[in-house]
Every structure is written in structure tokens, then in C-alpha cells.
Amino acid sequence: MDFWHSELSPDTQAVSGRYGLRRALWDVIETILISLLLFAAINYLTARIRVESISMEPNLYAGDFVIVNRMAYRFDSPTRGDIIVFRFPPRPTETPYIKRVIGLPGDRVQVKSGRVFVNNAVIQEPYLTVRTSPDGYWQIPEDALFVMGDNRENSSDSRTWGMVPLENVIGKAELIYWPPEDWQILHVPAAVAAYP
């Protein structure tokens, strides 16, 4: 019995021999280009930082790796309770700092008897395990933030070196991604808003 068939397309073996290496090379180049574009986009939108101090304990520990949303404040403003990463005002070229926003532009922050008042209203800070000291009063300029570490007894922050200019803010800390046992989302609202 004879079988007849028709060719609807050119012989694939002849074509694949000629173009196989060229196609494989193009696939490799295409994969590298897509990877580079994705890497650039991720670096533009986010930053990854390693916590270097104990100033945010018990919520962030030295050695934790955090993803920072660089775009968070492009279309919105920082809010009280946000954990932000910023260039240290006295030495902006050094390793960035990570602290919690307590006072917003125009706020009045006061520490009195171990509690924090913003615009004469005490704020609830369930993330703290210690009282805040020393007593003091600060008026926040319209272009700056007042920040504190959660480990109030061991934190160099706005109580010591002053305000963080808004232009120094790199972004909002979103989550701890390493080590896996410390994984958590950080943008859960924590501080109760204080109003004038």
C-alpha cells in the first residue's frame, strides 16, 4: 500500500539546521535583555536594605532585610506610624537610617512623663515596650518629618539630631523578607493619629 502526503510547509529539517544556532543565540540575548529590564524596573521601584542597628527593636532587628517602596510618596504623603528609610540629615552620604514617623509637617511634638503628644493629643503606640524619654518639645517645619526609633532608650533620632527633610526620604519600608522566620508586613497602621 502506498501512502501519499503533501507538504504544506518547507522541510523543517533543512530550515532548522540553518537557523537553529541563530535562534538559540537570539533566545539567550532576548532572555538577558528581559532580565536586565526587570532588574532595572525593580531597582527603580524598590530598594532592599539591611537593618544595621537595634534602634527599631522589637519590630526590626539588626540583620533583618527590608523591602522599601521608593514610589510610596510620589503620589501620597507620609503618615504618622509609617516606617521610613531616609538619608541621615547630618551625613546624607552614609548608610540610610530607618525610623518611624511621629510628627508630620506643621505638627507640634512633645514628650512628657514618658508619653508622646502630637498637637496636644497623646498618641497610642502599641509597638512600644518602653516609655519615651527625655522630655522635650519640637515644632516640625512644613518641609520635614519628626522620626523616632521604636527602641526609644537606644535610638539616635529626631530628639537628638533634628528633623528629616522630606527630600531625604528614600521610601516606605513595606516588609521584612529575610530571615524567613521574621517575615512580616510593616505598613499596618500603628500610631493613632493626633489632630490639632
Side-chain angles (χ1 to χ4, degrees):
M1 181 187 273
D2 290 329
F3 292 97
W4 299 89
H5 66 278
S6 66
E7 296 285 332
L8 297 177
S9 61
D11 186 5
T12 55
Q13 288 180 335
V15 172
S16 66
R18 245 184 315 165
Y19 296 106
L21 182 59
R22 194 178 306 173
R23 180 67 191 163
L25 184 59
W26 175 248
D27 286 346
V28 169
I29 291 170
E30 190 175 66
T31 301
I32 290 170
L33 288 174
I34 290 171
S35 299
L36 288 173
L37 285 173
L38 285 173
F39 179 77
I42 289 168
N43 278 338
Y44 179 75
L45 298 173
T46 67
R48 280 112 6 248
I49 64 139
R50 181 178 188 267
V51 177
E52 299 289 341
S53 75
I54 62 169
S55 70
M56 288 298 290
E57 289 181 4
N59 300 299
L60 292 168
Y61 290 89
D64 284 349
F65 285 84
V66 176
I67 292 180
V68 179
N69 180 353
R70 291 181 191 259
M71 304 304 286
Y73 303 126
R74 299 263 182 183
F75 308 105
D76 203 1
S77 299
T79 59
R80 194 171 290 105
D82 285 355
I83 298 174
I84 63 168
V85 174
F86 56 93
R87 290 181 297 282
F88 182 48
R91 293 184 298 279
T93 58
E94 289 188 0
T95 302
Y97 274 35
I98 184 166
K99 304 286 180 194
R100 190 177 299 273
V101 175
I102 301 298
L104 300 172
D107 280 349
R108 296 176 312 279
V109 176
Q110 183 175 17
V111 175
K112 184 170 71 174
S113 303
R115 298 189 302 174
V116 178
F117 295 81
V118 176
N119 302 324
N120 299 321
V122 67
I123 61 171
Q124 304 301 314
E125 299 182 280
Y127 44 81
L128 292 184
T129 58
V130 296
R131 294 170 63 86
T132 303
S133 62
D135 288 358
Y137 178 85
W138 300 267
Q139 176 66 46
I140 318 307
E142 290 299 327
D143 61 348
L145 300 169
F146 186 90
V147 298
M148 286 194 226
D150 292 350
N151 186 357
R152 300 284 163 86
E153 295 174 347
N154 295 294
S155 176
S156 170
D157 51 40
S158 290
R159 294 171 294 169
T160 308
W161 39 257
M163 311 306 146
V164 175
L166 288 171
E167 65 191 28
N168 284 30
V169 176
I170 295 168
K172 180 179 181 180
E174 295 286 357
L175 63 90
I176 300 170
Y177 71 93
W178 194 265
E181 60 271 13
D182 291 343
W183 187 93
Q184 69 173 307
I185 295 173
L186 297 172
H187 62 81
V188 178
V192 174
Y195 298 100

